[in-house]
Amino acid sequence: MQMGFYFDQTRCTGCNACRVACKDWNDVPEGPEAWMQVKYLEQGETPDVFVAYMIQTCFHCESPICAEACPAGAITKRPEDGIVLVDRNACLGKEECGAKCLKACPYDAPQFGPEPGAKMGKCVFCTDRLVQGKMPSCVEACYTRALDFGPLDELQKKYGQAVEAPNFKYSKRTKPSVIMNPKNPK
């Protein structure tokens, strides 16, 4: 089984509730490190303006290239659910290895704090919440219900097979575990 996310770009208002909930639940300090981000896209000119938002997080790829790039072997993929985790104790730190995981990831999911010797952090799919029968904090916080989660095959049955959206390029090499409902320009 492979866990994944569903993102409905037509429902996202860019409120950042998912980002705030993630930082709060995971005790990520104030600053540049954000395991969930919301990217803004604007195209065109008035009166023909297109605006869309896109989440940027770890998509728990089928083939996580970040794990291959990590010289310490600190990034692993759980066989039971495909969730990609990092052992922060095993991580060498940003300066020591040159953030090879971040350079390898097409989605900039690995995050580092600004402090010297910062260790990599990223979305852990709220595994602590999942074992309690709860949903990830980002999904729970999304008041427009633009986010959902679950086994990827179930998400595909429920929402379809779309994997591309404005401001997001599906990597055939890494195969991110995400299904999209794209907001298409008119």
Side-chain angles (χ1 to χ4, degrees), residues 55-86:
I55 59 166
Q56 186 169 318
T57 188
C58 176
F59 293 111
H60 302 277
C61 297
E62 184 180 314
S63 300
I65 196 167
C66 59
E68 294 173 27
C70 179
I75 304 169
T76 56
K77 182 175 176 72
R78 295 188 343 179
E80 66 269 23
D81 54 19
I83 294 173
V84 178
L85 298 175
V86 61

Side-chain angles (χ1 to χ4, degrees), residues 29-168:
E30 182 180 342
E33 184 179 355
W35 300 357
M36 169 66 81
Q37 299 177 47
V38 180
K39 300 297 181 182
Y40 175 75
L41 172 68
E42 183 178 322
Q43 296 174 333
E45 295 180 16
T46 304
D48 297 316
V49 178
F50 173 76
V51 173
Y53 299 94
M54 182 64 216
I55 59 166
Q56 186 169 318
T57 188
C58 176
F59 293 111
H60 302 277
C61 297
E62 184 180 314
S63 300
I65 196 167
C66 59
E68 294 173 27
C70 179
I75 304 169
T76 56
K77 182 175 176 72
R78 295 188 343 179
E80 66 269 23
D81 54 19
I83 294 173
V84 178
L85 298 175
V86 61
D87 178 350
R88 289 185 102 163
N89 293 323
C91 176
L92 300 175
K94 184 177 179 180
E95 291 84 14
E96 184 74 24
C97 84
K100 289 180 178 152
C101 57
L102 176 58
K103 291 175 184 172
C105 177
Y107 305 108
D108 295 331
Q111 295 286 298
F112 294 89
E115 69 278 1
K119 305 287 182 130
M120 193 268 268
K122 62 168 217 58
C123 168
V124 295
F125 220 94
C126 288
T127 52
D128 56 336
R129 293 175 60 91
L130 293 180
V131 297
Q132 298 173 15
K134 297 178 181 177
M135 60 182 69
S137 62
C138 60
V139 175
E140 184 176 70
C142 184
Y143 71 90
T144 63
R145 299 296 172 241
L147 282 170
D148 198 359
F149 79 104
L152 194 58
D153 60 340
E154 290 179 20
L155 293 175
Q156 290 168 335
K157 288 176 190 167
K158 187 174 180 180
Y159 298 113
Q161 304 284 325
V163 294
E164 298 266 353
N167 223 14
F168 180 82

